[in-house]
Amino acid sequence: MRAVLAVLLAAVCFGTTGTAQALGPTTDPLALGAARIAVGGLALAAVAAVVARRAAPRATAPRTAGGGRPPRTAGAGGRRRAAGAVALGALGVLAYQPAFFAGSTRNGVAVGTVVALGSAPVVTGLLAWAARRRRPPTSWLLATALATTGVAVLGLAPGGGPTGGVDALGVLASLGAGAAYALYTLAGAALIDAGWSSTTSMGVLFGVAGAAAVVVLAVRGAAGLASPAGVATVLWLGLVTTTLAYVLFGYGLARLGAPAVATLTLAEPLTATVLGLAVLGERIPPVGALGLVVLAAGLGVLALGARARRPVEVPA
C-alpha cells in the first residue's frame, strides 16, 4: 500500500505542472520544458548518486537501497540493452515536456492534462503486453477501462478549452505527450527489471535528459525565464514536479509495475482539473464532472487490486 500512496503523491506533484505553467510568465513550451528537465533531471541524477554511494557498502545484499537488485547488465549484450533503454527513456522524457506544455496551452490545464495522461496507461499497458507476452491482471484491465473512459469524457467535454471547444492540434500534442510518457515509464521498468534500483533508473534517465536539455537551452535561449517569476516557475517544475515526484514515482514503479503505475498516475489529471477549476477559473460542464467520478472509480479499483496482491516491499 505504501507503493500505491507514493505513486499517488507523485501524481499530485505532477498535477501542479500545468497550473505552475499558467501562473508563470508566458514563454516558449520548448524552452520551459528544457529548463524544467535541466534543473529537475540533473537534481534527480544527484539524488541517485547519493543513494548509490550510501548503498555501496551493502553491494553484496540481494537488493539495493532503491528497491532493485544488483544490475544484471554484465556483458556486451546487457550493456547494449541498458544503453538502449536509457536512450529511449531519455528521449521520452525530452519529448514529453514541450508536447505537454503545448497541449495545455491550447486546451487549458484540465483538458491538456487529462488527454495526455488518459492515453498513457493504454499505450503503456499495450506495449508491456506486447513486449512481455503477459496479460495484465484483471484489476488493471477494469481500472484502466474505467479511468480511460473518465478522462475521455472529461477531456472531450464541450467547452473544455479556453476557446470554448477542443483544439485538434492541442489534442495531438497531448496524445504525443502520453506516448512519450509511456516510453520512459517502460524504459524505467526495463532497467528495474535488469536489477537497477528505482532511484538509479530514474536518476540516469532524467540525468541524461537533463544534460541534453542544457544543450537545448543553450541553442534555444531562456525565452524570459530569467525573471524572478520565471526562476520560481522553473524551480517548482524542476525540484517538486520532477525531482521529488520521480523519486516517489520510481519507488512505486519498482514495486507495482509499469501498467499499474501508469493507471495510478491518472490522479495527475484529477489534481490538474481541480486546480484548473479552483485556481485558474477554468470551467467543466456537467458531463465533464461525470468523467471525474468515473476516473476516481478507476483509481479506486486499481488501488484495491494492488492492495489485494500485497507485493513484498523492500525498505528504501
Side-chain angles (χ1 to χ4, degrees):
M1 193 62 182
R2 283 185 296 174
V4 171
L5 292 176
V7 175
L8 288 175
L9 181 56
V12 170
C13 293
F14 294 147
T16 67
T17 299
T19 299
Q21 175 203 13
L23 294 176
T26 301
T27 188
D28 175 20
L30 180 59
L32 181 60
R36 176 193 184 188
I37 295 304
V39 172
L42 294 177
L44 187 56
V47 170
V50 170
V51 171
R53 188 158 50 245
R54 289 182 176 178
R58 296 178 305 210
T60 57
R63 287 180 179 266
T64 59
R69 295 170 298 279
R72 298 188 302 273
T73 54
R79 287 193 294 270
R80 281 196 298 269
R81 286 191 294 272
V86 169
L88 287 175
L91 178 62
V93 171
L94 284 172
Y96 178 85
Q97 311 306 315
F100 176 84
F101 288 131
S104 295
T105 298
R106 285 181 172 271
N107 280 322
V109 171
V111 173
T113 305
V114 296
V115 173
L117 273 294
S119 61
V122 177
V123 177
T124 303
L126 291 176
L127 288 177
W129 191 350
R132 299 175 183 175
R133 300 292 191 271
R134 188 169 61 213
R135 183 177 179 273
T138 302
S139 60
W140 177 86
L141 294 171
L142 176 59
T144 298
L146 284 171
T148 302
T149 299
V151 296
V153 172
L154 178 60
L156 300 179
T163 61
V166 175
D167 180 88
L169 289 178
V171 169
L172 288 176
S174 296
L175 289 174
Y181 173 92
L183 184 62
Y184 69 76
T185 297
L186 289 171
L191 292 174
I192 289 170
D193 286 345
W196 294 42
S197 73
S198 58
T199 305
T200 298
S201 62
M202 290 296 101
V204 170
L205 290 182
F206 278 79
V208 171
V214 171
V215 177
V216 172
L217 275 177
V219 173
R220 189 80 175 190
L225 293 174
S227 67
V231 170
T233 299
V234 169
L235 289 177
W236 179 270
L237 291 175
L239 299 180
V240 176
T241 74
T242 303
T243 305
L244 173 61
Y246 278 102
V247 168
L248 296 168
F249 177 89
Y251 178 90
L253 185 61
R255 292 156 177 82
L256 299 174
V261 166
T263 302
L264 277 173
T265 50
L266 286 172
E268 175 181 350
L270 185 62
T271 301
T273 299
V274 170
L275 290 175
L277 294 172
V279 178
L280 302 178
E282 296 179 356
R283 293 290 178 265
I284 295 178
V287 68
L290 175 62
L292 285 176
V293 173
V294 177
L295 169 58
L299 294 174
V301 168
L302 188 64
L304 290 174
R307 185 175 185 179
R309 289 192 296 275
R310 295 185 182 277
V312 177
E313 295 190 8
V314 179

